[in-house]
Amino acid sequence: MDRTVAWRAAIVAGSLVLLWRILSINAVQYDQNGRPHSPPAATRAEIAARLEDNPADVRRVIELARIDLASSDVARARAALDRAVALAPIDRTVLEAQAALLLDQGRIGEAAAALSRIASLYGEHDRIFPVFARMLAAGDPAIVTLALQDPRWVGPFVLDQCAKGTSGLVLAPLLRRAAKEGGGPKAAEVECVTQQLRQAGKWPEAYHVWLDSLARERLSDVGFVFNGSFEYPPTGVSFDWRPDRAAERESGHVAEFVPSREGSGQRALRVAYNGKRQLAPAVSQLLAVPPGHYRLTGRARVDRVSGPRGIRWVLRCASDDQVGVLGASERFVGSSEWAPFSFDVDIPPRCAGQVLQLEAVGMAEGTTFISGNVWFDDVALLAPH
Amino acid sequence: MQYRKAGWTMVLAGALALGPAVHAQQPRDDTIARLVDMQGNVLVSRESGLSSANEQLRLRPGTRVITTSHSEVVVEYDDGCRVRLKENQRFEVERGKPCAALLALDIFAAPVANTAIPIVLGIAALWPYGGGGGTVVVGGQGGEIPISPN
């Protein structure tokens, strides 16, 4: 019994010691950011003397720099910080002190580089992104120069700023970083920036940002309708094909790019309708076609498509609600082998952006149920000679 | 004398025969310019939309030329006028305009703040032991960057 009590007392005592140690570390010795609390004030001479005992004490070197800066001795402050950087080049405290000193001196480019290292190594996005945002807004070239090196923070920064409504024109230069080993701008960044530009009515600029994000081989034949032969998987981003993302049980259709012997390539678009109500287009693509008269052409195969009015391709103005439908195809219903189809399209000057959709006819007017399969290939929008 | 006349006739005939040959070097289609000094990805508009261009590509009036990032090209008109496109610019090939009026346009006209923007860091936020602190003013491209200490 006595032994048990003794054990329990020992455990309690040990726990108290451990608790005190935890409290000491977390609440007494370090602040909420994990930094040591400010050391007791000391004169420069005292710190210098302590540094003689331990020249590698980075904290004291930084303290020395702080005192020098406070007394406007920038040269000595910088020398102290250079020493700290030499001792601990990736220490967060050192990098932060270095960035602060550089900003204080107005050396924005170098400060941005130091902040970039902090952001890459330690995150700290909440504190550093506002600084980068101000640099970006001010048109400071340092931030773009850094971004082009594709450090880790750029993607999160673009998404953060895009979500906060920063102009797509301001963010676009950050997307020009070259893709290397899985780096470069991510699809989410391109989508957010181009969407922001489209919403601002800057469709040509959005289109250009998207063009810039394409791999070189994809630029060989961009076309007014991108990937109209359905040879490449759809990305669902910006001006590429956007298959309906809803689950088949909800959407009533599945759009896939499947192998096909028809058309100019090896694949075609196939949409399978399962007989359920159609609520959204099965596939769509945003376009940024200049004003003018065009002809949309393609090839289609229809397999037992049943529904009140079938399905059709529709090109609408997406940048101006007042303009509406710019052209529509024939209705695809019943069954037919591969055959060409085409329809005329007139794009007025006020319509900078358009959307091409494959949709059930009359979907917007009432309940529409469709079943069957359709294939499409070689969809293109042609300008007159 | 008759030999001399015959000689002149032959010279004239030769000149007439050469005339069309010289003209034949000009394109017989309706192109009026070509792409030269091309670097990077340059796109031109065709019947079915944009596609990448090649050096020496002949251009019709109405063709749009677009440069992407890190790209540039020169549109060289047959009359010698040269229009240089730097990265992210567009140009439409036009006929009948004076050379000086043929200009490439920037696709991105990034809105840069007209006035300097203070970056109020409260440098204490970065400075590990407090102290410091200041307002750094960034902007006014090409100018000095003033500092206004707190």
Side-chain angles (χ1 to χ4, degrees):
Chain A
M1 185 67 181
D2 287 347
R3 202 171 179 182
T4 307
V5 170
W7 267 112
R8 283 182 180 167
I11 289 169
V12 168
S15 300
L16 283 172
V17 169
L18 193 60
L19 184 64
W20 166 245
R21 184 67 185 151
I22 291 168
L23 283 172
S24 170
I25 289 171
N26 289 304
V28 180
Q29 293 181 21
Y30 295 88
D31 65 17
Q32 59 182 3
N33 294 317
R35 296 196 193 99
H37 279 300
S38 302
T43 64
R44 190 180 196 289
E46 286 170 342
I47 294 169
R50 286 174 193 165
L51 271 172
E52 282 183 12
D53 294 337
N54 181 11
D57 188 341
V58 173
R59 300 280 182 272
R60 300 229 181 274
V61 176
I62 292 173
E63 181 65 9
L64 209 59
R66 187 190 67 79
I67 291 170
D68 288 337
L69 191 63
S71 58
S72 300
D73 193 343
V74 175
R76 280 219 298 194
R78 194 173 172 202
L81 267 176
D82 286 346
R83 183 177 162 189
V85 170
L87 285 168
I90 60 168
D91 182 281
R92 181 167 61 181
T93 310
V94 171
L95 287 170
E96 289 179 352
Q98 184 190 30
L101 177 66
L102 290 167
L103 281 170
D104 227 21
Q105 293 181 274
R107 292 157 64 184
I108 304 300
E110 293 166 82
L115 292 170
S116 174
R117 293 195 74 192
I118 297 168
S120 294
L121 290 166
Y122 303 106
E124 298 281 342
H125 294 171
D126 291 347
R127 296 164 63 220
I128 292 174
F129 281 1
V131 183
F132 284 161
R134 300 305 295 269
M135 289 180 180
L136 195 64
D140 192 278
I143 192 74
V144 175
T145 304
L146 282 170
L148 293 181
Q149 296 164 14
D150 201 18
R152 270 187 227 165
W153 55 264
V154 180
F157 178 64
V158 170
L159 291 173
D160 174 74
Q161 292 302 300
C162 190
K164 288 174 178 165
T166 300
S167 166
L169 292 178
V170 172
L171 295 174
L174 304 183
L175 299 182
R176 290 177 204 154
R177 57 196 199 272
K180 52 181 181 184
E181 296 172 6
K186 300 286 183 292
E189 298 171 55
V190 176
E191 174 67 1
C192 188
V193 171
T194 55
Q195 184 180 14
Q196 207 268 9
L197 285 167
R198 291 198 314 270
Q199 287 171 348
K202 299 184 182 303
W203 282 73
E205 290 85 349
Y207 191 74
H208 196 83
V209 166
W210 171 73
L211 277 179
D212 245 357
S213 74
L214 294 178
R216 188 185 182 96
E217 62 270 19
R218 301 300 305 276
L219 292 171
S220 62
D221 186 18
V222 179
F224 292 124
V225 175
F226 184 65
N227 192 19
S229 57
F230 307 101
E231 294 304 303
Y232 298 90
T235 63
V237 170
S238 296
F239 294 87
D240 199 351
W241 288 113
R242 295 167 181 258
D244 188 7
R245 287 180 180 171
E248 182 187 358
R249 64 180 180 277
E250 294 167 12
S251 68
H253 52 237
V254 179
E256 296 174 301
F257 293 12
V258 297
S260 168
R261 292 179 184 172
E262 281 292 322
S264 57
Q266 305 297 315
R267 306 182 85 80
L269 167 67
R270 182 186 68 196
V271 183
Y273 293 91
N274 65 8
K276 290 197 171 183
R277 183 180 178 184
Q278 299 299 304
L279 298 169
V283 64
S284 62
Q285 184 176 126
L286 296 169
L287 314 179
V289 180
H293 179 75
Y294 299 86
R295 189 158 187 82
L296 194 141
T297 64
R299 294 175 59 77
R301 180 186 165 213
V302 190
D303 180 22
R304 287 175 287 177
V305 169
S306 65
R309 284 159 288 191
I311 56 171
R312 65 175 181 172
W313 287 99
V314 180
L315 187 69
R316 287 189 171 82
C317 184
S319 58
D320 189 335
D321 294 338
Q322 306 296 316
V323 177
V325 174
L326 303 170
S329 73
E330 62 197 79
R331 298 173 181 189
F332 301 103
V333 67
S335 293
S336 62
E337 283 305 309
W338 283 101
F341 71 91
S342 65
F343 60 95
D344 289 332
V345 172
D346 280 306
I347 298 175
R350 60 191 281 201
C351 181
Q354 310 86 32
V355 60
L356 177 64
Q357 297 174 323
L358 179 66
E359 60 185 43
V361 179
M363 190 176 64
E365 286 86 52
T367 307
T368 306
F369 299 91
I370 301 279
S371 64
N373 294 287
V374 283
W375 284 260
F376 294 99
D377 206 353
D378 297 339
V379 175
L381 190 65
L382 305 175
H385 289 291
Chain B
M1 189 65 180
Q2 278 186 344
Y3 285 115
R4 187 175 284 180
K5 272 188 178 175
W8 276 112
T9 306
M10 286 181 71
V11 169
L12 274 170
L16 285 170
L18 277 174
V22 171
H23 275 290
Q25 290 176 5
Q26 297 293 328
R28 289 182 179 176
D29 56 24
D30 54 354
T31 60
I32 58 172
R34 61 178 181 156
L35 296 178
V36 297
D37 299 341
M38 194 172 86
Q39 289 178 21
N41 297 322
V42 177
L43 300 169
V44 293
S45 61
R46 297 179 198 266
E47 183 193 14
S48 61
L50 293 175
S51 61
S52 49
N54 301 317
E55 181 88 13
Q56 300 293 328
L57 179 73
R58 300 287 309 171
L59 305 169
R60 291 192 180 105
T63 302
R64 288 176 298 132
V65 182
I66 294 172
T67 52
T68 57
S69 295
H70 317 296
S71 303
E72 61 179 48
V73 72
V74 172
V75 175
E76 187 178 79
Y77 280 78
D78 292 339
D79 65 5
C81 177
R82 287 167 63 91
V83 181
R84 178 174 294 279
L85 279 76
K86 296 177 182 172
E87 68 170 354
N88 298 312
Q89 289 194 320
R90 63 175 174 238
F91 176 73
E92 183 167 332
V93 179
E94 292 178 281
R95 192 199 299 269
K97 272 192 172 180
C99 188
L102 296 169
L103 297 172
L105 301 172
D106 284 328
I107 291 169
F108 300 108
V112 174
N114 292 327
T115 54
I117 294 176
I119 296 180
V120 184
L121 285 174
I123 285 181
L126 287 171
W127 190 260
Y129 297 123
T135 303
V136 181
V137 182
V138 187
Q141 293 197 353
E144 292 290 316
I145 301 172
I147 310 167
S148 58
N150 284 343

